Amino acid sequence: MLSHLLALAGIESVAIDLRRRREIEATHRAGILERDSVRMLIDTGVSDRVLRDGHEHKGIDLRFDGVSHRIDFQALVGASTWLYPQTDVFIDLVEARERDGGDIRFGVTDTQVLDITDARPGIRFADADGVGHEIRCRYLVGADGSRSLCRFEVPATERQQYFREYPFAWFGILAEAPKSAPELIYARSDRGFALISQRTPTLQRMYFQCAPTENVDDWSNDRIWHELQARIAGRDGYALHEGRVLEKSVLPFRSFVQEPIRYGNMLLVGDAAHTVPPTGAKGLNLALADVRVLAELLERAIVKNDTQALDHYTPRALARVWKAQNFSYWMTTMLHQLPDATDFDNRRQLGELEMVVTSESGSRYLAEAYTGWPTP
Ligand code: DHB
């Protein structure tokens, strides 16, 4: 997305990725786009496929004590989210860069970042055929994900890293089954959290809280469905449509922010700069929000020769990041069971959920944060 936006501003870029294109296309990730992420894909001319193949969701269900409560995003904040998997966003972006003559090199190895505090930083790598390259540039962007190496290019004395670990993880499945609900269900139960999501009319994505050490091989089809059904069961008799489980994996949970996210002529974006727990699906949306800010500032720096412009990157991007950190943490702690929770903790958690679904102010905060804070 950044190389696409820079190209629109007449700025040349080269993107390199360690993984191969097909490998990225086959990796399942989250599936919810904020309103402005959708607008960005459409308004900047990437693709309007999200409007045809994506599904508009005008709300979500919060389910607790065996009862569902709809949070109506349209009524509360006049916005929707779109169910459109991150892999499809990737496919659209790569096709747009190919269409527009962009330079993206997949499957590189042996990367080495060079001279980030010099006027001409660079990167050395071997391409997919093993041929060595060195590219020099004005600015180097570290968009190398949650296991970022670029973030460690900022000297230890100059950076601060904020962490939070959680004593649980998500067990994620992809199942061949019809949809169980028109929109997403976020369910709190005494057995732990469950999330009922979707992919296509015949393929569903669901998650349930598990131990970080959980082994997917210990979970048969039957055991998975029994656990999911138990977590969403209630007096309304609601039950999930079951089917063959095609994929299962354990997703780690953590909150992380590095500060600053600009150092010399290197800029960090997305998971390289910050990671959120998955509850609320903010990861990809935050990365796109970083890029929106960064493209504007790089254009000012490069095209308008405004050398101070990039000083604004860390404070502007991190203002949104910390709001999203709070939202993701809040959604997580409001819906998950802590291993050492007391009766008081459980009753308080139900009180919090009751507040959110019965108070317009409570619901509106959730709706506003979930659909994404407006970007100027
Ligand atoms: C999905 C993932 C999330 O983390 C979430 O909050 C909602 C949906 C998904 O993969 O569909």
Side-chain angles (χ1 to χ4, degrees), residues 88-162:
D88 286 290
V89 175
F90 171 76
I91 289 166
D92 293 348
L93 284 167
V94 176
E95 283 179 1
R97 291 312 290 134
E98 275 189 335
R99 174 194 72 201
D100 300 342
D103 186 346
I104 308 184
R105 314 196 192 166
F106 291 102
V108 309
T109 53
D110 300 326
T111 54
Q112 191 190 346
V113 169
L114 308 166
D115 310 322
I116 59 168
T117 51
D118 287 5
R120 303 293 291 170
I123 188 143
R124 220 175 262 151
F125 61 94
D127 66 22
D129 299 321
V131 180
H133 297 269
E134 183 177 312
I135 299 178
R136 292 279 167 175
C137 55
R138 284 274 301 274
Y139 298 104
L140 187 107
V141 177
D144 53 343
S146 59
R147 287 189 289 259
S148 171
L149 293 179
C150 287
R151 72 163 77 112
F152 294 103
E153 293 290 325
V154 182
T157 50
E158 305 289 325
R159 64 172 137 89
Q160 187 143 10
Q161 296 188 329
Y162 303 90

Side-chain angles (χ1 to χ4, degrees), residues 63-293:
R63 189 170 171 85
F64 55 95
D65 247 358
V67 181
S68 287
H69 306 263
R70 184 156 188 271
I71 307 293
D72 185 337
F73 298 158
Q74 278 295 336
L76 290 158
V77 292
S80 294
T81 52
W82 267 260
L83 183 98
Y84 191 66
Q86 189 164 330
T87 37
D88 286 290
V89 175
F90 171 76
I91 289 166
D92 293 348
L93 284 167
V94 176
E95 283 179 1
R97 291 312 290 134
E98 275 189 335
R99 174 194 72 201
D100 300 342
D103 186 346
I104 308 184
R105 314 196 192 166
F106 291 102
V108 309
T109 53
D110 300 326
T111 54
Q112 191 190 346
V113 169
L114 308 166
D115 310 322
I116 59 168
T117 51
D118 287 5
R120 303 293 291 170
I123 188 143
R124 220 175 262 151
F125 61 94
D127 66 22
D129 299 321
V131 180
H133 297 269
E134 183 177 312
I135 299 178
R136 292 279 167 175
C137 55
R138 284 274 301 274
Y139 298 104
L140 187 107
V141 177
D144 53 343
S146 59
R147 287 189 289 259
S148 171
L149 293 179
C150 287
R151 72 163 77 112
F152 294 103
E153 293 290 325
V154 182
T157 50
E158 305 289 325
R159 64 172 137 89
Q160 187 143 10
Q161 296 188 329
Y162 303 90
F163 281 103
R164 190 173 213 293
E165 306 285 343
Y166 298 82
F168 44 76
W170 275 6
F171 196 107
I173 64 158
L174 204 59
E176 202 171 35
K179 266 187 205 173
S180 284
E183 293 167 344
L184 270 52
I185 304 173
Y186 287 80
R188 181 237 175 248
S189 85
D190 292 341
R191 301 172 74 103
F193 171 73
L195 170 59
I196 311 307
S197 185
Q198 324 160 347
R199 283 297 176 266
T200 69
T202 55
L203 203 60
Q204 311 310 324
R205 184 85 167 135
M206 301 182 193
Y207 305 93
F208 59 91
Q209 179 184 349
C210 67
T213 51
E214 203 67 66
N215 180 0
V216 293
D217 296 330
D218 293 340
W219 288 79
S220 65
N221 256 28
D222 283 353
R223 186 176 174 209
I224 289 170
W225 286 115
H226 179 265
E227 191 57 41
L228 278 166
Q229 297 287 18
R231 291 188 189 199
I232 57 95
R235 38 196 139 105
D236 56 4
Y238 176 70
L240 301 168
H241 294 304
E242 300 185 7
R244 193 156 61 94
V245 175
L246 305 176
E247 262 194 52
K248 30 186 190 179
S249 57
V250 173
L251 288 73
F253 257 66
R254 81 204 298 233
S255 301
F256 167 76
V257 180
Q258 172 155 316
E259 217 170 325
I261 55 174
R262 178 249 174 132
Y263 187 76
N265 289 318
M266 182 186 73
L267 305 120
L268 300 172
V269 301
D271 274 15
H274 43 77
T275 308
V276 286
T279 332
K282 281 280 165 269
L284 170 66
N285 293 295
L286 268 188
L288 290 175
D290 285 351
V291 155
R292 195 156 42 215
V293 172

